Amino acid sequence: MDRVAWNCLCDCGNPNYVITRGSDLTRGRTKTCGHIQNKDHTKLNNSRKNDITFGRISRIYHNMKQRCLNSNHRQFQDYGGRGIMICKEWLGGNGLDNFYQWSINNGYSQNLTIDRINVNKGYSPSNCRWATKEIQGNNKTLNIQLKISNSDI
């Protein structure tokens, strides 16, 4: 008898949680929070399920949502906890598809990661880019930037 229940964040784009039994998850009975029709959710997943690029972008997207929307996520305090949010265009029923299209049209590559240009603003097309880990490492809130002029030398 399965008595373990899971509190799952739906990937429909809305910060909706659904409590479901573990056996329902493993058997594929619980697929969404009910916000979108299961057939639409299945259609989106099936249309790109063999696409390696979509799979990586999807993982990046879901990790971004977890950091910003899930207060139990280990990095929430550095993202959602300090007000970093995700634009409406990348949330909602078409959020993942919109994020995927933006990614493909804005320099996505397997060797790049999502980077917020202004680390104090949220995830949106105007504040995000695909960057190398080196560029991203130089764009952190913990970094201290020094400006040295010729008169200081």
Side-chain angles (χ1 to χ4, degrees), residues 1-58:
M1 186 168 183
D2 183 13
R3 294 183 184 192
V4 177
W6 292 84
N7 188 19
C8 302
L9 178 63
C10 185
D11 64 359
C12 70
N14 288 317
N16 294 331
Y17 286 85
V18 61
I19 297 173
T20 187
R21 294 186 326 210
S23 62
D24 287 344
L25 286 173
T26 57
R27 292 184 181 131
R29 290 184 187 150
T30 303
K31 296 187 186 223
T32 72
C33 65
H35 176 73
I36 57 176
Q37 298 294 324
N38 284 341
K39 63 181 179 183
D40 294 336
H41 192 265
T42 303
K43 181 180 176 184
L44 177 64
N45 286 340
N46 288 341
S47 68
R48 296 190 178 120
K49 72 180 179 183
N50 294 323
D51 185 342
I52 293 170
T53 297
F54 179 77
R56 181 169 185 264
I57 290 173
S58 177

Side-chain angles (χ1 to χ4, degrees), residues 85-141:
M85 299 306 294
I86 303 170
C87 69
K88 290 180 182 180
E89 180 181 345
W90 290 352
L91 293 175
N94 293 322
L96 175 56
D97 198 45
N98 292 341
F99 180 74
Y100 177 82
Q101 291 303 320
W102 172 85
S103 298
I104 296 303
N105 294 329
N106 286 278
Y108 170 80
S109 174
Q110 292 282 341
N111 64 326
L112 302 176
T113 59
I114 189 79
D115 183 46
R116 286 175 294 115
I117 298 164
N118 181 334
V119 296
N120 295 311
K121 291 185 179 181
Y123 288 95
S124 68
S126 63
N127 191 46
C128 287
R129 63 186 171 190
W130 291 102
T132 63
K133 289 184 180 186
E134 180 182 18
I135 290 171
Q136 192 172 33
N138 289 327
N139 187 28
K140 290 186 172 187
T141 57

